[in-house]
């Protein structure tokens, strides 16, 4: 298939950097450089490592090189009536490697799974410049530790991803978008009940005034759901939900103030978070606009069993992610040491100390 | 008995008396077994061909005790093997000759069921099925359903990343467990994951799930519960030959249908099951597929119609849809009883567990038959077809000299065949001690070294379950596994014969 394989060059660059102790900043398409802490070092461009390596619609598996644009994957999948269920944010671009390294998932996350859930295997270059393969292209595989899923969300600090195999799924026959006049918590509780009744919920967000609901499935299922649930039918459903996913709704417009993300357990009362809030994931992912007292916000999220990230627009020299409990810090440091002993891969991108 | 530990796996220096004395100080008197007779039940797990007595068995009943045992063993450099219900089919819970066998069987309490938020918090020794039973009054269940679910523990499920018949649609253990609390080898208590959908830092839940007791001892598990589907249909399709059935599996998925369960049985399995539970299976069929669809009633009817037409086109000559819940149960009964049913037709059987790409099913089934003929051992197939997860059962008689060895060798060949067609040596049963040599076939040296480094991040002195899951490089050198990487042998310049 198309694309080019520059993995030998990439591995050689990493091996060299490891010898000389040169820090490397792994760069895909640059669509998510705002995310995480600023990392220092020379740029290691992965966007030249492209192409779909294997796509077997009947196997529900797609394998592509890490620099492959998400748009190219979308196109190939759409031609076969399939999709990536975790629906990564595209932010106007994005590569497969970046999508997995950040581990971000779209609005369907609570029902369709996360990036890590759909990773079946991958290849990576560790901090020594060794090109390795973990997992595979089959649905079930418990040979060795699950290094592939460990890479999802590790922000490239444990390895340069070069190739990823994903589980893909058929696209639903149809989608239905509804807008309902329900308060936040009552709305989310309702959504839970509709889900339990077997309605194919794939999105539930609240903008402070309305509950937005997305259902995906067969025409017959959507018709049945629509009749029971009621509300106002939204035309061009896909547009609103992709705008939510890519932070293109008016709520996200003021790019000058920080945007915080709070992750919460299911059906958590989030009324204590004030200021402009947009609720996604049926209340499990909150977007908070505006400068906040980081310590207070983190404490508030933690007291509810969640955590808070300064998602964009904050100080990237400062702490971005929620601090780790002491024993977890030890595991993180030792894992970093295990994969990247010289500490050259995206140093500081996740936490300042590695 | 097979002697399985290698020299380098038991090079610890352990003084049994010092150990026992230390354990007596931290464990309640009833929680320590030191007599051979009392320890005997722990000498093997579900793979009884592998047996080994531990030095002692500890049966802690509180997290404090687990922490104290591990801290002590860490200090004395004594190996520890965690054990749940002991149903592992890969000798994962096989004791270590110089170590403590740490049974979690006393941790058998369901701590809470949060009906509204669909969460269950349980102790690690709780049986898989007990979670679904406790959730049933709320219309909820825990999705991964290994065939051993009456017995196996949730801690063991996390350690093996167990699967079941509904995993194609609802995922494996790794997709259904939200958080675990574990005790590190140093005796520290840490919580991984959370009730939220993600946690800061690395995805340590991914590392711990399927880690076969090599990274920590799990003492608390939070799982996600699912609502019972409002409706389901169970369909049985017979085929005149195995390859057509294999191709039909790929055909169903290709048509965009993701069944809740999609299982396959070949003729010997059909007959054995039919004799045992009288499920009403077509005993003349070369193979059957059992397919479960679930969802809301409106969608379900559409899917069922589509599936019937499809199966007819894919060459099924006998399509039956269960008309009542009783008939649905009986279609499943034969499948669920297949292992014990096979146990009735052969003195012993050996269960293999490889996964392959679905499109290679027909070919692999044919080549397994050839291997079976070559070794003169019968192979019966009953497996998770939708996931491409094979469970060939090799029939043998342990009392006939040489049969077990032949069986093991045949099993090894089948696993190597799985790797050759792009699959893996274990889909859900784990590597344990059983498949440790085949790991050398699946992974090159760099990956194996990386696995060891990952383990050392959690267990720097290599005390948790030593000798299992990841082979030492010297084992691989001796086993002589030649890893064919991207179609290329290492050192292609060296002549081979
Ligand atoms: C008849 C039969 C059918 C089976 N069917 C299936 C199936 O359909 N799908 C499937 O996936 N498996 C199946 N199995 C295999 C087995 O049941 C699973 O692997 C199960 O998850 C093991 O759980 P256990 O509690 O028995 O663990 P054990 O056998 O006690 O231990 C297994 C491994 O887990 C580790 N471990 C156990 N508890 C802990 C803990 N608390 N902390 C850390 N490590 C721990 C042990 O050290 C060991 O490495 C089957 C087994 C049998 C006998």
């Amino acid at each position: 298939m198309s694309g080019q394989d520059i993995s030998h060059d990439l591995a050689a660059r990493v091996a060299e950097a490891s010898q000389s102790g040169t820090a490397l900043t792994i760069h895909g398409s640059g669509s998510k450089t705002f995310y995480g802490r600023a990392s220092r070092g020379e740029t290691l461009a992965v966007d030249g490592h492209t192409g779909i390596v294997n796509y077997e619609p009947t196997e529900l598996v797609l394998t592509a090189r890490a620099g492959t644009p998400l748009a190219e994957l979308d196109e190939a999948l759409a031609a076969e009536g399939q999709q990536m269920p975790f629906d990564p944010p595209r932010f106007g671009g994005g590569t497969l490697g970046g999508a997995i390294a950040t581990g971000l998932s779209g609005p369907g996350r609570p029902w369709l799974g996360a990036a890590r859930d759909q990773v079946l295997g991958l290849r990576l270059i560790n901090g020594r410049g060794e090109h390795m393969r973990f997992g595979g292209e089959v649905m079930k595989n418990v040979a060795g530790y699950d290094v592939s899923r460990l890479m999802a969300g590790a922000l490239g600090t444990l390895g340069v991803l070069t190739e990823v195999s994903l589980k893909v799924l058929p696209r639903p026959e149809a989608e239905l978008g509804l807008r309902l006049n329900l308060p936040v918590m009552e709305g989310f509780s309702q959504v839970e009940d509709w889900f339990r009744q077997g309605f194919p919920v794939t999105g539930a967000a609240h903008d402070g005034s309305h509950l937005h609901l997305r259902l995906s499935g067969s025409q017959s299922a959507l018709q049945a759901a629509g009749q029971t649930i009621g509300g106002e039918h939204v035309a061009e459903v896909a547009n609103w939900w992709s705008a939510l996913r890519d932070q293109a709704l008016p709520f996200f417009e003021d790019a000058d103030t920080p945007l915080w993300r709070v992750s919460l357990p299911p059906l958590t009362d989030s009324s204590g978070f004030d200021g402009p809030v947009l609720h996604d994931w049926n209340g499990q992912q909150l977007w908070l606009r505006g400068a906040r007292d980081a310590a207070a916000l983190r404490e508030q999220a933690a007291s509810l069993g969640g955590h808070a990230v300064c998602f964009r627009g904050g100080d990237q020299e400062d702490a971005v992610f929620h601090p780790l409990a002491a024993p977890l810090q030890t595991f993180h440091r030792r894992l970093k040491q295990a994969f990247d002993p010289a500490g050259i891969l995206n140093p500081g991108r996740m936490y300042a100390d590695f | 008995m097979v002697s399985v530990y290698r020299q380098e796996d038991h090079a610890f220096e352990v003084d049994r008396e010092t150990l026992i004395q230390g354990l007596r100080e931290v464990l309640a008197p009833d929680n320590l077994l030191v007599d051979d007779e009392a320890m005997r039940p722990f000498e093997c797990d579900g793979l009884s061909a592998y047996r080994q007595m531990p030095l002692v068995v500890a049966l802690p009943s509180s997290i404090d005790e687990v922490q104290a045992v591990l801290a002590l063993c860490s200090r004395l450099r004594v190996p520890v093997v965690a054990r749940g219900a002991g149903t592992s089919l890969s000798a994962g819970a096989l004791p270590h000759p110089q170590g403590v066998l740490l049974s979690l069987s006393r941790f058998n309490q369901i701590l809470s069921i949060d009906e509204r938020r669909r969460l269950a918090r349980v102790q690690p020794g709780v049986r898989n099925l007990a979670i679904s039973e406790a959730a049933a009054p709320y219309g909820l269940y825990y999705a991964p359903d290994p065939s051993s679910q009456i017995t196996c523990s949730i801690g063991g499920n996390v350690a093996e990343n167990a699967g079941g018949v509904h995993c194609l649609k609802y995922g494996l253990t790794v997709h259904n467990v939200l958080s675990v609390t574990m005790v590190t080898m140093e005796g520290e208590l840490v919580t991984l994951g959370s009730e939220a959908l993600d946690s800061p830092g690395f995805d340590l839940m991914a590392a711990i799930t399927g880690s076969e007791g090599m990274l920590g001892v799990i003492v608390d598990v939070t799982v996600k519960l699912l609502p019972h589907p409002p409706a389901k249909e169970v369909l049985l399709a017979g085929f005149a030959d195995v390859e057509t059935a294999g191709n039909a599996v790929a055909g169903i998925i290709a048509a965009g249908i993701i069944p809740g369960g999609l299982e396959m049985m070949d003729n010997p399995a059909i007959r054995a099951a039919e004799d045992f539970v009288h499920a009403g299976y077509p005993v003349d069929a070369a193979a059957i597929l059992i397919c479960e669809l679930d969802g809301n009633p409106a969608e379900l009817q559409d899917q069922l119609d589509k599936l019937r037409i499809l199966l007819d086109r894919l060459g099924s000559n006998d399509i039956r849809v269960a008309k009542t819940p009783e008939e649905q149960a009986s279609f499943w009964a034969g499948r669920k009883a297949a292992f014990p049913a096979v146990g009735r037709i052969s003195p012993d059987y050996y269960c293999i567990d490889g996964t392959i790409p679905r499109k290679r099913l027909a070919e692999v089934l044919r080549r397994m038959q050839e291997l079976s003929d070559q070794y003169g051992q019968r192979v019966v197939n009953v497996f998770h077809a939708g996931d491409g997860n094979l469970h060939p059962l090799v029939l043998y008689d342990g009392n006939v000299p040489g049969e077990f060895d032949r069986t093991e060798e045949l099993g090894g060949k089948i696993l190597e065949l799985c790797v050759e067609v792009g699959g893996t040596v274990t889909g859900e049963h784990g590597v344990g001690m059983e498949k440790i040599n085949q790991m050398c076939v699946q992974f090159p040296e760099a990956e194996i070294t990386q696995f060891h480094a990952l383990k050392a991040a959690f267990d720097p002195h290599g005390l948790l379950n030593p000798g299992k899951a990841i082979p030492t490089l010297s084992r691989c050198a001796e086993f002589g596994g030649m890893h064919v990487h991207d179609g290329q042998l290492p050192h292609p310049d060296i002549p081979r014969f």
Side-chain angles (χ1 to χ4, degrees):
Chain A
M1 293 194 187
S2 63
Q4 61 175 347
D5 181 349
I6 60 162
S7 57
H8 285 291
D9 300 347
L10 292 171
R13 275 281 308 277
V14 177
E16 225 175 84
S18 144
Q19 293 287 322
S20 61
T22 312
L24 297 174
T25 291
I26 308 162
H27 189 91
S29 70
S31 70
K32 291 179 277 285
T33 38
F34 62 81
Y35 185 60
R37 301 181 71 257
S39 81
R40 49 197 171 75
E42 288 176 10
T43 300
L44 181 74
V46 185
D47 61 345
H49 187 55
T50 56
I52 295 173
V53 176
N54 182 33
Y55 174 33
E56 298 268 358
T58 67
E59 296 294 314
L60 305 178
V61 175
L62 181 146
T63 299
R65 296 194 185 99
T68 314
L70 291 172
E72 187 180 327
L73 302 184
D74 284 333
E75 203 179 309
L77 287 163
E80 297 291 340
Q82 296 189 334
Q83 62 181 12
M84 292 178 272
F86 75 101
D87 192 19
R90 313 300 198 272
F91 295 134
T95 60
L96 174 59
I100 300 307
T102 51
L104 301 173
S105 308
R109 164 68 183 94
W111 306 275
L112 304 174
R116 56 93 80 169
D117 293 323
Q118 285 140 35
V119 173
L120 298 174
L122 50 74
R123 300 183 75 188
L124 65 86
I125 300 167
N126 70 4
R128 289 195 186 85
E130 294 168 316
H131 199 195
M132 301 182 286
R133 186 192 292 274
F134 296 98
E137 294 191 315
V138 290
M139 294 295 138
K140 290 164 90 174
N141 187 355
V142 293
Y145 304 113
D146 196 344
V147 173
S148 318
R149 289 196 174 93
L150 178 63
M151 293 300 136
L155 284 169
T157 58
L158 298 177
V160 182
L161 308 186
T162 55
E163 197 175 296
V164 182
S165 298
L166 292 177
K167 177 177 177 178
V168 296
L169 281 179
R171 239 170 219 278
E173 195 181 302
E175 281 190 337
L176 172 66
L178 298 172
R179 224 165 68 122
L180 295 119
N181 212 337
L182 282 171
V184 179
M185 287 319 293
E186 197 186 320
F188 292 147
S189 189
Q190 266 294 337
V191 173
E192 170 63 18
D193 289 336
W194 289 323
F195 173 68
R196 290 185 191 209
Q197 284 167 46
F199 294 136
V201 179
T202 58
H206 203 291
D207 60 14
S209 62
H210 287 92
L211 175 74
H212 298 253
L213 192 64
R214 180 176 68 180
L215 301 130
S216 318
S218 69
Q219 296 286 3
S220 48
L222 297 188
Q223 205 175 0
Q227 274 164 8
T228 308
I229 295 171
E232 174 195 340
H233 286 233
V234 178
E236 310 282 348
V237 196
N239 294 347
W240 194 85
W241 291 92
S242 57
L244 171 64
R245 179 195 69 201
D246 296 341
Q247 305 185 339
L249 292 174
F251 173 87
F252 296 100
E253 248 158 37
D254 178 11
D256 292 336
T257 63
L259 177 72
W260 283 80
R261 170 179 185 271
V262 173
S263 178
L264 293 172
L267 299 179
T268 302
D269 180 356
S270 56
S271 55
F273 294 97
D274 45 32
V277 181
L278 179 66
H279 308 250
D280 194 7
W281 293 5
N282 208 39
Q284 288 198 259
Q285 171 170 267
L286 268 49
W287 297 108
L288 278 64
R289 187 89 259 187
R292 309 269 166 160
D293 174 343
L297 181 62
R298 291 204 161 109
E299 203 182 298
Q300 191 181 5
S303 72
L304 295 169
H307 65 102
V309 183
C310 186
F311 195 82
R312 66 157 99 210
D315 179 0
Q316 286 185 282
E317 298 300 324
D318 201 0
V320 164
F321 297 102
H322 209 96
L324 299 168
L328 290 180
Q329 278 178 29
T330 311
F331 288 156
H332 278 69
R333 262 199 310 274
R334 290 198 202 146
L335 276 170
K336 174 71 175 173
Q337 179 73 27
F339 281 88
D340 176 21
I344 54 163
L345 300 178
N346 276 354
R349 181 86 191 249
M350 187 183 265
Y351 290 101
D353 58 337
F354 62 84
Chain B
M1 168 182 155
V2 193
S3 168
V4 285
Y5 284 99
R6 288 168 57 85
Q7 182 58 37
E8 73 254 25
D9 301 333
H10 51 86
F12 298 90
E13 280 172 30
V14 179
D15 177 49
R16 185 166 190 254
E17 285 319 307
T18 315
L19 173 66
I20 291 176
Q21 205 184 340
L23 287 170
R24 287 221 158 100
E25 282 166 24
V26 299
L27 286 172
D30 287 347
N31 296 359
L32 182 66
L33 309 178
V34 296
D35 299 334
D36 276 5
E37 206 182 325
M39 296 197 297
R40 189 68 64 192
F42 297 91
E43 74 172 341
C44 70
D45 58 21
L47 183 57
S48 57
Y50 293 69
R51 286 171 196 272
Q52 173 65 56
M53 287 292 273
L55 280 189
V56 301
V57 174
L59 294 143
S61 47
S62 71
I63 292 178
D64 284 348
E65 282 188 336
V66 176
Q67 288 184 268
V69 170
L70 287 168
L72 176 76
C73 291
S74 178
R75 191 159 52 76
L76 299 178
R77 300 282 190 266
V78 176
V80 175
V81 177
R83 178 185 169 107
T87 67
S88 163
L89 290 174
S90 57
L94 181 76
H96 189 279
Q98 296 182 296
V100 174
L101 191 281
L102 185 77
S103 167
L104 281 306
S105 59
R106 299 208 168 140
F107 289 83
N108 58 4
Q109 298 300 307
I110 293 180
L111 301 172
S112 66
I113 301 269
D114 187 337
E115 184 271 327
R116 202 53 207 149
R117 304 205 286 173
R118 284 192 284 111
L119 302 172
R121 219 189 112 204
V122 302
Q123 291 187 326
V126 167
R127 293 173 304 112
N128 172 296
L129 187 61
I131 304 175
S132 289
E133 284 171 352
Y138 311 107
L140 304 173
Y141 73 111
Y142 173 63
D145 54 347
S147 312
S148 51
Q149 70 180 149
I150 311 175
T151 323
C152 65
S153 75
I154 188 72
N157 289 172
V158 174
E160 299 283 16
N161 190 14
V165 300
H166 291 97
C167 286
L168 177 60
K169 184 161 177 186
Y170 295 107
L172 306 161
T173 303
V174 71
H175 302 110
N176 290 277
V177 172
L178 293 169
S179 167
V180 304
T181 298
M182 67 173 199
V183 179
T184 66
M185 190 60 218
E186 283 109 338
E188 239 183 315
L189 200 61
V190 303
T191 297
L192 315 179
S194 72
E195 292 180 354
L197 290 170
D198 42 51
S199 300
F202 299 145
D203 192 336
L204 297 178
M205 283 303 293
I208 195 76
T209 311
S211 65
E212 305 198 21
M214 307 276 290
L215 306 183
V217 175
I218 297 157
V219 292
D220 194 317
V221 184
T222 301
V223 305
K224 169 172 105 177
L225 301 172
L226 286 180
H228 281 296
K232 68 177 180 192
E233 297 282 356
V234 182
L235 179 148
L236 189 153
F239 291 84
D241 69 276
V242 174
E243 298 202 28
T244 310
N247 288 329
V249 171
I252 292 170
I253 308 289
I257 299 175
I258 308 295
L262 181 56
E263 298 284 305
M264 178 162 163
M265 296 168 76
D266 69 4
N267 182 271
I270 298 168
R271 284 178 184 268
E274 185 57 26
D275 284 348
F276 187 34
V277 296
H278 312 293
Y281 287 172
V283 291
D284 294 328
I288 56 170
L289 293 179
I290 301 167
C291 183
E292 182 171 298
L293 299 173
D294 63 17
N296 74 70
E299 187 149 29
L300 202 56
Q301 193 54 48
D302 287 356
Q303 277 205 356
L304 185 64
D305 295 343
K306 198 169 154 189
L307 183 63
R308 278 171 113 149
I309 296 167
L310 188 65
L311 279 166
D312 183 56
R313 218 179 60 221
L314 292 169
S316 169
N317 52 12
D318 182 3
I319 301 172
R320 310 174 188 180
V321 180
K323 289 181 209 69
T324 60
E326 292 73 32
E327 204 179 348
Q328 291 186 343
S330 94
F331 280 10
W332 274 119
R335 164 64 185 97
K336 292 198 169 154
F339 285 23
V342 170
R344 293 168 77 237
I345 61 168
S346 172
D348 299 287
Y349 68 83
Y350 194 92
C351 177
I352 320 277
D353 165 50
T355 305
I356 57 164
R358 274 177 293 262
K359 65 169 180 205
R360 309 292 290 264
L361 261 178
E363 174 197 346
V364 168
L365 289 168
R366 179 174 50 72
R367 287 178 61 188
M368 278 199 306
Q369 187 53 51
E370 289 166 14
L371 282 168
S372 158
D373 294 344
Q374 186 187 329
Y375 279 81
Q377 302 292 147
R378 285 172 65 200
V379 175
V380 176
N381 280 295
V382 35
F383 61 96
H384 310 306
D387 295 308
N389 185 193
L390 304 174
H391 284 330
L393 305 176
V394 183
L395 310 189
Y396 72 100
D397 183 346
N399 291 321
V400 177
E403 278 214 5
F404 178 75
D405 294 341
R406 250 199 332 268
T407 297
E408 253 206 328
E409 199 181 312
L410 169 56
K413 290 282 179 250
I414 293 175
L415 293 181
E416 285 162 32
L417 171 60
C418 293
V419 176
E420 184 199 315
V421 301
T424 173
V425 297
T426 173
E428 58 179 17
H429 293 169
V431 173
M433 184 57 92
E434 181 209 18
K435 287 176 281 269
I436 192 139
N437 288 338
Q438 275 77 32
M439 284 291 282
C440 308
V441 180
Q442 185 160 337
F443 290 101
E445 192 175 315
E447 278 83 343
I448 288 181
T449 305
Q450 188 65 70
F451 284 142
H452 286 300
L454 187 156
K455 169 162 170 85
F458 290 85
D459 174 22
H461 302 288
L463 298 173
L464 285 166
N465 222 355
K468 311 242 184 84
I470 312 295
T472 56
L473 292 176
S474 75
R475 181 187 273 274
C476 287
E478 193 166 311
F479 174 67
M482 282 184 304
H483 180 84
V484 184
H485 203 54
D486 293 341
Q488 286 195 316
L489 283 169
H491 310 294
D493 44 330
I494 301 172
R496 284 165 213 276
F497 39 87

